[in-house]
Amino acid sequence: MQPSEPPAANPVAGLAREVEEFVASAGWDQPPQLFALVPTAALLDEQPELAGQLDRANPLTPVAQEALPEGDLAESLGRIAWPEIVVGCALAQEIIVLPPDVEAELEGVAEADAERLRRAAADHPRRTEARLVAAVLREGDVACVMRLRGTRPDDASADADAVDEIVESPDLAPNLLEALKTTFLP
């Protein structure tokens, strides 16, 4: 994995982290969540009552959207059209991550049956649960943040806290980033 860019070099990475931290505060086992990225100044102009909750120094503010419909995520994203005030969006979703050698074993299943692949990944003993946040700006900047759900090491006591790992790279979810970009096409 490539090291993440410094916040000044890629402000959308900071927004992706902010969205991930917000979603993480509610715990695990959540449905996908979509956020509009809106200029903070414009949001405060339209809703001045938010002045005590938002920092005008932050150029963009993530705004949680209504729940996405159950079913195919790509289909749901394909129906989204943003108003001009929305300059970007972010999607948080829980996923299963498998080691590369396991992914190679399951390639034939992927081509045959997507539901069978989901079940095989979810039941695999070497799976890791994760939360992925992908964020895009209308102008083209992208970022991804993934929180790998922590586990206790085998030698840790039952009282030991599980430790999550955070990975940042714009290369984590190229297909999802492209799907999010298409929500800004006319």
Side-chain angles (χ1 to χ4, degrees), residues 22-96:
F22 173 79
V23 174
S25 70
W28 289 94
D29 303 320
Q30 297 180 55
Q33 294 177 307
L34 186 64
F35 295 80
L37 303 178
V38 181
T40 303
L43 189 57
L44 288 171
D45 288 347
E46 286 188 14
Q47 298 181 33
E49 67 276 11
L50 296 176
Q53 300 172 38
L54 301 178
D55 181 358
R56 202 177 269 276
N58 291 334
L60 296 175
T61 297
V63 179
Q65 301 299 290
E66 291 183 21
L68 291 165
E70 298 259 342
D72 187 74
L73 183 59
E75 187 177 309
S76 295
L77 291 175
R79 290 189 292 241
I80 293 173
W82 298 106
E84 285 301 313
I85 192 170
V86 176
V87 299
C89 65
L91 178 80
Q93 68 174 350
E94 293 183 11
I95 62 172
I96 299 291

Side-chain angles (χ1 to χ4, degrees), residues 7 9-17 37 60 89 135-137 141-145:
N10 188 357
V12 75
L15 289 163
R17 285 189 300 275
L37 303 178
L60 296 175
C89 65
V136 302
L137 294 182
D141 291 344
V142 300
C144 290
V145 174

